């Protein structure tokens, strides 16, 4: 039956312009025709047949959104203009063939060399195996900037943004000086002004630092452009060569850093493209991920900002010009609403070390109540963490709630109890425990 005004026949087939994502990029497009009454699953089966793989390995994205409802009709994708529907798909690595994130990096690593390893490497029988390689990736969010929502070149660092960038550069310099990081190092930064100004602090304090910039690291929305974000991840998180040990410092933006964090932690692309929005990094904070030549990855820290003075900590950019110097010099920030949960790992080590850890963490947690979280706090802890929890609770004039010993095996119970709406407009829950329940 023909619709009015010369629109398409209800039974006419739908036309798709399809691209396959290869190592994060998009291959040449091809046209695909499907019956209008077909489902998303039918489309996935057609692509699986083309790729000679199981349909479960196909992920399809159209107009920036993963197509998750396999039973939905293709007709729901049509637009009023009646043109070809754009589709991008990715073929995931089968289970048992290695980690999916490892698969993406290995394909990228392979593309960077044109010489077969067998042409240059000695045989296993004639030489010992090289030590595993490791690349330490330090991802820095840029410092606070002003003119949020305006064009890029207006977004210079605020007074506090410069202080944040300076503090973080000094801290990383001290890590190199103390031998806690490999000496081979490079810096890669976004070409956005706020990232350039943040990155400029690093070579001042860190000598022999190779500096590069890339438009690829500019701010992007992984939800709208998941395959652009995936391309960044694949390029930067390729496994190093065996025996290599180096540091890559990346200065970029909240959204792309969080996307790469999730992918490094093994979150599938279709979930990472959405879940990054649940996190927010403080300005000039450090997220560290170690990448090994075996393809393994280890998340070491997320949004670490203890190197920045409390008086300069911020997480939101400034609308309009930076007026902090005219408003008493303090940063522009507001406490979060709702419930904030602080997960504190139990102190460990010698008595002297534990005492120092407890004091540092207690002072830090208390300081957060001055500018980020509610001063009304409840403290809960495991039996082994009672000592540390009592010191923290004393700062908030309360006593810790002791969690049952079964919490180590059944942490879901604590999750259901505490990860709920606040009592009032905002409150804070501090949980002190060991690694497993946290």
């Amino acid at each position: 039956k023909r619709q009015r005004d010369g629109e398409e026949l209800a039974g006419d087939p739908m036309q798709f312009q399809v691209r396959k994502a290869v190592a994060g990029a998009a291959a040449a497009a091809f046209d695909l025709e499907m019956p209008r009454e077909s489902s998303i699953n039918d489309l996935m089966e057609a692509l699986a047949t083309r790729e000679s793989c199981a349909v479960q390995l196909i992920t399809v994205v159209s107009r920036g959104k993963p197509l998750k409802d396999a039973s939905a009709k293709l007709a729901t994708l049509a637009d009023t203009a009646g043109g070809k529907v754009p589709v991008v798909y990715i073929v995931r690595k089968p289970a048992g063939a290695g980690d999916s994130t490892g698969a993406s990096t290995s394909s990228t690593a392979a593309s960077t060399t044109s010489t077969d390893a067998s042409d240059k490497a000695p045989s296993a029988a004639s030489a010992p195996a090289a030590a595993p390689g490791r690349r330490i990736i330090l991802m820095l969010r840029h410092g606070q900037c002003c003119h949020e929502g305006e064009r890029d070149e207006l977004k210079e660092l605020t007074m506090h943004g410069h202080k944040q960038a300076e503090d973080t550069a000094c801290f990383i310099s001290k890590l190199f000086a103390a031998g806690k990081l490999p000496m081979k190092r490079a810096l890669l930064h976004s070409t956005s002004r706020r990232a350039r100004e943040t990155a400029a602090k690093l070579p001042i304090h860190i000598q022999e630092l190779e500096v590069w910039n890339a438009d690829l690291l500019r701010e992007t929305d992984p939800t709208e452009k998941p395959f652009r974000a995936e391309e960044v991840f694949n390029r930067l998180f390729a496994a190093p060569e065996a025996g290599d040990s180096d540091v890559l410092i990346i200065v970029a933006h909240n959204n792309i850093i969080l996307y790469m964090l999730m992918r490094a932690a093994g979150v599938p692309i279709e979930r990472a493209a959405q879940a990054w929005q649940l996190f927010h990094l403080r300005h000039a904070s450090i997220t560290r991920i170690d990448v090994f030549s075996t393809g393994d990855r280890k998340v070491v820290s997320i949004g670490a900002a203890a190197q920045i003075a409390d008086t300069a900590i911020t997480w939101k950019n400034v609308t309009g010009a930076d007026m902090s110097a005219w408003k008493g010099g303090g940063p522009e920030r507001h406490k979060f609403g709702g419930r904030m949960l602080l997960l504190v790992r139990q102190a460990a080590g010698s008595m002297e070390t534990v005492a120092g850890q407890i004091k540092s963490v207690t002072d830090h947690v208390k300081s957060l109540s001055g500018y980020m979280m509610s001063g009304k706090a409840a403290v809960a802890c495991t039996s082994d963490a009672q000592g540390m929890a009592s010191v923290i609770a004393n700062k908030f004039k309360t006593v810790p709630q002791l969690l049952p010993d079964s919490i180590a095996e059944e942490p879901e119970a604590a999750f259901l109890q505490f990860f709920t709406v606040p009592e009032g407009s905002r409150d804070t829950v501090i949980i002190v425990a060991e690694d497993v329940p946290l």
Side-chain angles (χ1 to χ4, degrees):
K1 178 180 178 181
R2 185 177 298 276
Q3 298 177 345
R4 295 181 180 179
D5 302 323
E7 293 182 4
E8 292 179 307
L9 288 170
D12 283 353
M14 288 187 64
Q15 304 292 329
F16 292 88
Q17 185 179 64
V18 185
R19 293 179 184 271
K20 177 185 178 182
V22 182
F30 63 90
D31 291 337
L32 181 65
E33 186 177 279
M34 296 285 294
R36 186 171 291 267
E37 64 273 13
S38 300
S39 65
I40 301 296
N41 188 68
D42 294 328
L43 173 61
M44 295 169 65
E45 286 183 348
L47 296 173
T49 300
R50 180 185 177 92
E51 295 291 336
S52 300
C53 71
V55 68
Q56 294 85 356
L57 301 179
I58 300 290
T59 296
V60 182
V61 175
S62 180
R63 300 185 179 98
K65 296 182 179 180
L67 305 182
K68 298 180 180 180
D69 185 359
S71 63
K73 298 298 183 184
L74 293 181
T76 60
L77 302 178
D79 56 29
T80 55
K84 294 179 181 178
V85 178
V87 164
V88 180
Y89 72 97
I90 187 171
V91 182
R92 299 194 302 275
K93 192 169 183 179
D99 179 87
S100 61
T101 54
S104 62
T105 54
S106 63
S107 63
T108 306
S111 68
T112 61
T113 177
S114 58
T115 305
D116 192 310
S118 62
D119 293 338
K120 59 183 180 181
S123 67
S126 61
R134 180 180 67 158
R135 173 166 296 130
I136 296 175
I137 299 180
L138 304 178
M139 298 190 290
L140 278 59
R141 186 188 179 193
H142 61 77
Q144 185 192 49
C145 70
C146 54
H147 293 288
E148 177 72 359
E150 302 182 52
R151 59 187 177 87
D152 180 75
E153 282 306 310
L154 291 176
K155 295 181 179 180
E156 62 181 332
L157 294 187
T158 64
M159 176 178 72
H160 296 99
H162 281 287
K163 177 68 166 62
Q164 295 156 0
E166 183 76 16
D167 286 350
T168 296
C170 288
F171 174 69
I172 295 176
S173 173
K174 290 176 182 177
L175 292 179
F176 280 114
K180 295 183 177 181
L181 295 173
M183 295 306 293
K184 184 178 178 182
R185 55 220 184 192
L187 166 63
L188 178 66
H189 64 83
S190 160
T191 53
S192 296
R193 179 176 180 176
R194 54 202 183 279
R196 297 197 312 265
E197 291 184 354
T198 302
K201 309 288 186 182
L202 290 155
I204 297 173
H205 298 279
I206 304 171
Q207 305 304 311
E208 300 179 5
L209 181 63
E210 191 174 357
V211 181
W212 299 81
N213 65 72
D215 282 339
L216 200 64
L217 283 172
R218 291 178 73 92
E219 190 165 27
T220 189
D221 186 343
T223 304
E224 295 296 324
K225 299 178 180 179
F227 289 102
R228 183 178 185 275
E230 183 69 5
E231 181 179 7
V232 180
F233 171 73
N234 285 331
R235 289 191 180 191
L236 299 183
F237 280 76
E241 296 290 332
D244 279 357
S245 182
D246 57 36
V247 177
L248 174 61
I249 305 171
I250 298 171
V251 180
H253 306 271
N254 188 68
N255 46 22
I256 193 64
I257 291 174
L258 289 171
Y259 178 86
M260 291 191 287
L261 164 66
M262 300 211 179
R263 293 292 288 125
V267 177
I269 179 174
E270 60 269 26
R271 290 182 60 192
Q274 303 289 334
W276 69 270
Q277 300 172 87
L278 301 175
F279 293 75
H280 208 78
L281 298 171
R282 287 171 287 184
H283 290 115
S285 61
I286 303 171
T287 296
R288 172 177 166 174
I289 299 171
D290 292 1
V291 183
F292 299 90
S293 56
T294 57
D296 295 328
R297 303 186 184 100
K298 179 181 179 182
V299 178
V300 179
S301 66
I302 301 173
Q307 70 278 5
I308 303 170
D310 286 345
T311 53
I313 288 282
T314 59
W315 51 92
K316 288 187 177 181
N317 295 321
V318 174
T319 301
D322 178 20
M323 301 297 292
S324 56
W326 300 88
K327 296 180 179 180
E332 184 177 312
R333 56 193 182 187
H334 305 280
K335 291 185 177 182
F336 285 92
R339 168 163 290 181
M340 179 171 284
L341 291 107
L342 271 65
L343 308 182
V344 180
R345 186 180 182 274
Q346 158 70 334
S350 66
M351 290 182 62
E352 183 179 356
T353 299
V354 166
Q357 290 175 349
I358 292 175
K359 183 181 186 308
S360 296
V361 171
T362 301
D363 291 345
H364 175 62
V365 169
K366 182 59 180 176
S367 72
L368 294 178
S369 66
Y371 61 89
M372 180 178 281
M373 70 183 198
S374 168
K376 177 186 176 182
V379 181
C381 66
T382 57
S383 56
D384 288 343
Q386 275 185 280
M388 185 176 193
S390 295
V391 177
I392 295 174
N394 186 55
K395 285 283 187 178
F396 292 91
K397 296 180 172 57
T398 186
V399 293
Q401 173 188 338
L402 184 61
L403 298 171
D405 291 339
S406 60
I407 210 71
E409 288 74 35
E410 300 291 341
E412 184 69 12
F415 175 80
L416 294 173
Q417 178 180 353
F418 295 113
F419 284 68
T420 58
V421 296
E423 298 176 2
S425 61
R426 69 164 67 98
D427 66 12
T428 302
V429 175
I430 305 166
I431 302 176
V432 188
E434 298 74 43
D435 281 343
V436 172
L438 292 184

